[in-house]
């Protein structure tokens, strides 16, 4: 605490370590803290979509978890990211990118996010947009059903 401020690298490392050890509430708090300090500024709502470009896999997973929990009404509005995570039809749209900037040009975020939704939210319908391989869609009707339970 000698005048040093954590940066995006520090937050990414902390989030990764906490996620690996299963400390998800701490990860959420770190993500919101980092976001409020201007780190992960690219994490935003773009035309109703959650844009994960340039995020590490652990940070992207936590951003998706947090946004889904917000959509499902499981966490309070305090500390939410700015913006709305719904498209005009109520689907939750997640921009992962196509992997163009990943090592070897292979998508990293898309398979990680798909696995997260399948494993942690098995009742939600999630698929790759057939017109854009860099976009995932979580079905509005499955979100409504999950919110009602």
């Amino acid at each position: 605490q000698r005048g040093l401020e954590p940066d995006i690298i520090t937050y990414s490392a902390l989030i990764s370590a906490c996620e690996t050890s299963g400390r998800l509430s701490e990860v959420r708090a770190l993500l919101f803290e980092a976001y409020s300090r201007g780190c992960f500024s690219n994490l935003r709502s773009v035309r109703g979509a959650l844009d994960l470009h340039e995020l590490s896999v652990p940070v992207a997973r936590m951003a998706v978890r947090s946004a889904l929990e917000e959509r499902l009404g499981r966490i309070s509005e305090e500390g939410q990211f700015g913006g709305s995570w719904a498209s005009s039809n109520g689907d939750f749209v997640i921009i992962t990118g196509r992997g163009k900037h990943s090592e070897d040009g292979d998508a990293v975020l898309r398979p990680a996010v798909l696995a997260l939704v399948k494993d942690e939210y098995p009742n939600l319908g999630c698929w790759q947009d057939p017109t854009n391989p860099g976009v995932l869609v979580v079905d509005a009707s499955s979100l409504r059903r999950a919110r009602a339970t």
Side-chain angles (χ1 to χ4, degrees):
Q1 295 279 6
R2 295 185 180 144
L4 298 176
E5 292 290 324
D7 60 10
I8 194 167
I9 295 169
T10 307
Y11 279 117
S12 293
L14 287 168
I15 287 169
S16 180
C18 288
E19 185 195 42
T20 300
S21 64
R23 297 161 60 179
L24 296 183
S25 63
E26 290 178 48
V27 176
R28 182 174 288 115
L30 284 167
L31 182 63
F32 289 141
E33 178 184 321
Y35 183 76
S36 69
R37 289 177 174 233
C39 294
F40 311 125
S41 58
N42 56 316
L43 176 60
R44 63 194 181 283
S45 176
V46 176
R47 292 181 305 281
L50 177 64
D51 189 348
L52 303 177
H53 275 106
E54 300 177 20
L55 298 180
S56 67
V57 169
V59 173
R61 278 195 302 249
M62 194 65 231
V64 170
R65 275 188 198 103
S66 294
L68 281 172
E69 294 296 314
E70 289 173 11
R71 291 288 313 243
L72 296 171
R74 295 180 183 160
I75 60 175
S76 70
E77 294 191 20
E78 182 180 335
Q80 288 183 333
F81 306 117
S84 168
W85 308 120
S87 66
S88 60
N89 68 356
D91 289 339
F92 173 41
V93 178
I94 306 165
I95 301 170
T96 61
R98 300 174 186 210
K100 290 181 180 177
H101 303 290
S102 298
E103 201 170 306
D104 299 326
D106 293 328
V108 176
L109 292 178
R110 183 179 57 241
V113 171
L114 277 170
L116 168 84
V117 175
K118 179 183 175 192
D119 295 345
E120 296 185 23
Y121 303 92
N123 296 327
L124 296 181
C126 182
W127 63 88
Q128 180 178 307
D129 183 323
T131 63
N132 185 341
V135 172
L136 298 175
V137 178
V138 179
D139 176 58
S141 62
S142 68
L143 284 164
R144 283 191 296 275
R145 283 191 305 274
R147 189 176 177 124
T149 58

